[in-house]
Amino acid sequence: MRTSIYLSLAFLLFAKSLFAQDKDVDKYFQINPLEIKSQKNEIQEYAVTLKWQNLDAINGNKINCNVVNATYIVGDNGHVSWKNVSLAQIEDFNQTQYKGNHLPSLNDFSYKSMDTAFLSEEFYKNISVEQRDLAKWLVSDAVQMQGLAWYVFDSLEFKKDFEPKLLENHDVRFEDWVTFTSRYQKLVWSGITKHNDEVCAIVKFESFYNPVKIDNEQMQVKGRSLYYGEMWISLTDKQVEYAVMFEDVIMKLTSSMFPDEQLIDLQREIVFNKQK
């Protein structure tokens, strides 16, 4: 009988502890992002990894696979910069050991954040020509990450889908490069996690059909992009602690390498991981 009483008491204490934990978690879901004070001007440093591969879209044969590692720094009076940028060829996305070559023209590349100047060729004048497409990828991915955290997170409520009107049928045109038409984007604050000792909102995003077009001297491209991913945004200071995005682009490509039109599947994965 005494053992039974002890077990019952232990169970009640355990249940009470779980109930208290549930209530403790609930307070985070009731946070209004608008009321969180953003620390935009505090310097944040991210380890960035960008992997991409080009495949024959029909048979899946690999054409190439590459990885870039870099350090992204944001918060210096509205300016951002890139450092320690290196590029390596790899066998596949699962490869973790590789030796990259440094890209000097991308190291110490700095500019004003959240400015549409990044769409112009003049913006990249100090970047070597062969590295400009890569620079445009890195810059636009960083702009999306910071923009969603700074301007869209305020509109989110836990478990409620949100589709920003600004991203409905919105064209993003890079001078002499790509035109990307954003059909829509859906975001949802789906849960919470902990990263870098910060309690974070898990914000999932997706966009499954976006026309892509390139028409210049180097290549002609017509296709579509789909992408999805998630961000972990601090519920203390509204900083992105971690972000990952996957993109898949099916495109018809004509270039010097493919004088006869080729159907290509471009797959990308980019990760921003804030350093403590």
Side-chain angles (χ1 to χ4, degrees):
M1 176 67 72
R2 183 175 297 175
T3 301
S4 177
I5 292 173
Y6 286 158
L7 287 174
S8 297
L9 181 60
F11 177 77
L12 287 172
L13 290 172
F14 178 68
K16 184 176 181 181
S17 174
L18 286 178
F19 180 77
Q21 289 177 19
D22 286 344
K23 288 298 182 182
D24 191 51
V25 168
D26 283 348
K27 70 181 182 183
Y28 293 109
F29 298 134
Q30 296 166 6
I31 289 176
N32 181 352
L34 271 172
E35 297 175 355
I36 303 173
K37 186 176 181 181
S38 176
Q39 301 297 326
K40 289 184 183 180
N41 293 323
E42 288 188 4
I43 294 177
Q44 314 288 336
E45 185 172 303
Y46 295 84
V48 179
T49 302
L50 167 62
K51 295 180 180 180
W52 76 94
Q53 60 183 359
N54 289 292
L55 309 171
D56 183 302
I58 302 300
N59 58 37
N61 289 340
K62 190 173 298 176
I63 299 169
N64 56 46
C65 190
N66 307 273
V67 59
V68 165
N69 288 320
T71 301
Y72 175 66
I73 301 170
V74 62
D76 184 11
N77 294 319
H79 286 80
V80 302
S81 62
W82 295 88
K83 299 182 184 297
N84 309 317
V85 186
S86 64
L87 170 67
Q89 289 189 339
I90 55 177
E91 293 299 318
D92 56 53
F93 275 20
N94 294 321
Q95 184 175 334
T96 57
Q97 300 296 321
Y98 46 80
K99 184 176 177 61
N101 297 314
H102 288 286
L103 304 180
S105 68
L106 276 170
N107 284 315
D108 297 319
F109 178 39
S110 62
Y111 49 91
K112 183 80 171 178
S113 63
M114 308 313 295
D115 188 328
T116 57
F118 74 93
L119 298 172
S120 72
E121 278 297 300
E122 177 69 13
F123 187 83
Y124 303 94
K125 65 181 180 181
N126 294 324
I127 306 294
S128 61
V129 174
E130 64 273 15
Q131 293 169 14
R132 285 184 186 175
D133 286 358
L134 175 57
K136 292 169 185 176
W137 264 352
L138 291 171
V139 170
S140 56
D141 287 339
V143 166
Q144 168 157 306
M145 178 194 72
Q146 295 295 165
L148 290 176
W150 289 349
Y151 302 114
V152 178
F153 184 48
D154 284 351
S155 300
L156 300 186
E157 296 179 59
F158 181 57
K159 283 189 176 180
K160 292 187 178 180
D161 291 349
F162 177 67
E163 296 183 12
K165 295 296 182 183
L166 176 65
L167 298 178
E168 288 184 4
N169 297 310
H170 176 69
D171 287 344
V172 179
R173 292 189 176 92
F174 281 84
E175 183 182 348
D176 197 35
W177 191 46
V178 65
T179 297
F180 179 95
T181 301
S182 175
R183 290 293 195 211
Y184 79 101
Q185 187 173 94
K186 183 172 76 174
L187 302 98
V188 61
W189 173 3
S190 63
I192 61 172
T193 188
K194 195 172 185 180
H195 191 61
N196 290 336
D197 296 325
E198 298 270 355
V199 176
C200 304
I202 300 173
V203 178
K204 295 182 179 294
F205 59 88
E206 62 183 45
S207 187
F208 289 150
Y209 184 82
N210 304 282
V212 174
K213 182 180 179 182
I214 299 176
D215 188 2
N216 57 33
E217 294 181 358
Q218 290 76 41
M219 67 181 73
Q220 289 76 50
V221 167
K222 186 175 182 180
R224 70 97 183 103
S225 162
L226 68 80
Y227 61 89
Y228 58 92
E230 64 183 47
M231 299 181 297
W232 301 350
I233 302 176
S234 170
L235 290 171
T236 301
D237 59 15
K238 212 179 291 187
Q239 295 303 306
V240 177
E241 298 295 321
Y242 177 87
V244 59
M245 182 185 75
F246 304 93
E247 182 180 27
D248 183 84
V249 183
I250 299 293
M251 57 186 172
K252 293 179 180 178
L253 168 65
T254 306
S255 66
S256 57
M257 184 176 178
F258 299 105
D260 297 323
E261 186 178 82
Q262 176 73 29
L263 193 60
I264 301 289
D265 184 5
L266 164 64
Q267 299 176 340
R268 296 199 309 132
E269 175 192 78
I270 186 162
V271 174
F272 290 82
N273 190 5
K274 188 161 82 72
Q275 305 303 286
K276 288 186 178 181

